[in-house]
Amino acid sequence: MTVNWAVTTYDSAFGYVSAHGAPLVDLLDPQPGERVIDLGCGTGTFSAEIAERGAEVLGIDGNPDMVAQATALHPGLSFIVGDAHDFTTSESFDAVASNAALHWMTRDPDQVIGQVHAALRPGGRFVGELGGAGNCAELIAAMQTAWRVFGLGEPELPWYFPSPAEYATKLEEGGFTLRLLEHADRPTRMTEGPGGAADWVRAYAGRALADVPPELVEPLLERVNDLAAPALRRESGWVADYVRLRFAAVRKPDGGASLLTGPTPTPASAPASAPTGPPPPGAPL
Ligand SMILES: C[S@@+](CC[C@H](N)C(=O)[O-])C[C@H]1O[C@@H](n2cnc3c(N)ncnc32)[C@H](O)[C@@H]1O
């Protein structure tokens, strides 16, 4: 899956991705001296939050432009280019964390979980937040209807939004003991996407627009806005219908029962968040 992430505008346009992810660091509860991977680190904002707690962070992202930006913004931290499906590490880590990235890793979610397992020491934590089942359902329905109205095929949607049961099974079959799993609505104001659903499609579903004849793009997106507005446009502005899956899991010891040697994940206090090419505008996905 290739997403055209506009790295230069990513932080300003989608800064609120990280803002919504902030409490995730409380669930991770990094300890001074721990070694933590931030998987799908983007420009490194979440990595920096982890490092502020005294942990040693390695940010991994498939997009070299993201890694370059993260390195420029956080010169004291380590970032490398790597695909979550097949990265390797020379040491074992105490925790792997991931914010708003796992749902973009669609080639094989089981393989991603397997790589995380391999990177962790027994007892190491895997803590993450991703789009869950039902994420952006209104936005996606508006897209599908508009595409149909314009006689186009099904829009190509590049995400993996698992149900809690599905992801729990994957984690458990992947060698983890689940400690916490939340599946919650997270309506998110599109503060940086005044053009509403149309901006969101341009930012996050640009691939679906790639095959649309250029002269149809604007009327198509206008139709998306018309269709999505009743559910998502408020007097105060557009709201994306995000649904988040948040979890904390622990790697089982090899060949035995679960052994929790790291800090016990505690629920966050705050309420219930490819490798190449440009991140998008509007609500961060
Ligand atoms: C929405 S951004 C989230 C960035 C960051 N975690 C944050 O909270 O701001 C998703 C990130 O996942 C990365 N990504 C997508 N697929 C990936 C893959 N297969 N391997 C590694 N990174 C990937 C993208 O390049 C992008 O930087």
Side-chain angles (χ1 to χ4, degrees):
M1 192 274 304
T2 298
V3 178
N4 289 330
W5 302 101
V7 172
T8 49
T9 59
Y10 176 78
D11 274 343
S12 58
F14 301 102
Y16 51 105
V17 179
S18 298
H20 278 278
L24 193 61
V25 78
D26 292 332
L27 183 61
L28 175 65
D29 193 20
Q31 300 297 303
E34 280 195 320
R35 288 162 307 184
V36 180
I37 290 174
D38 178 7
L39 194 59
C41 62
T43 56
T45 306
F46 185 45
S47 311
E49 289 174 15
I50 297 167
E52 276 168 20
R53 305 284 180 99
E56 204 178 294
V57 186
L58 173 65
I60 301 178
D61 200 283
N63 183 336
D65 295 339
M66 284 290 188
V67 170
Q69 184 78 345
T71 303
L73 289 172
H74 311 286
L77 306 186
S78 301
F79 299 98
I80 58 170
V81 178
D83 190 312
H85 296 85
D86 54 23
F87 69 96
T88 52
T89 56
S90 55
E91 55 182 332
S92 67
F93 284 74
D94 298 298
V96 174
S98 184
N99 180 52
L102 292 166
H103 55 259
W104 290 100
M105 301 168 185
T106 54
R107 196 170 82 223
D108 186 346
D110 291 310
Q111 196 175 327
V112 172
I113 291 170
Q115 292 302 122
V116 171
H117 187 274
L120 285 171
R121 63 167 171 82
R125 287 123 52 219
F126 182 23
V127 173
E129 184 169 298
L130 66 156
N135 194 38
C136 302
E138 296 284 357
L139 286 161
I140 290 170
M143 282 182 72
Q144 290 169 328
T145 302
W147 257 246
R148 216 164 28 243
V149 167
F150 277 77
L152 303 163
E154 276 288 304
E156 192 176 341
L157 304 174
W159 313 295
Y160 167 63
F161 297 142
S163 71
E166 180 183 348
Y167 209 66
T169 300
K170 286 190 182 303
L171 287 169
E172 286 175 357
E173 289 182 349
F176 288 91
T177 300
L178 201 53
R179 298 287 178 185
L180 175 141
L181 183 65
E182 293 174 345
H183 185 232
D185 290 344
R186 170 94 53 78
T188 300
R189 291 191 60 184
M190 298 189 200
T191 52
E192 304 292 341
D199 278 0
W200 185 90
V201 172
R202 283 193 201 93
Y204 291 108
R207 185 164 173 166
L209 289 171
D211 297 331
V212 176
E215 67 280 9
L216 288 188
V217 169
E218 284 312 313
L220 179 71
L221 292 179
E222 270 175 39
R223 184 62 67 98
V224 171
N225 264 358
D226 291 344
L227 290 161
L232 302 179
R233 191 167 60 201
R234 316 270 160 82
E235 270 184 30
S236 55
W238 285 84
V239 173
D241 56 335
Y242 285 1
V243 177
R244 278 354 216 182
L245 201 57
R246 172 175 287 205
F247 65 89
V250 177
R251 183 187 148 158
K252 290 177 189 168
D254 294 328
S258 167
L259 175 66
L260 184 61
T261 56
T264 304
T266 50
S269 52
S273 117
T276 56
L285 181 59

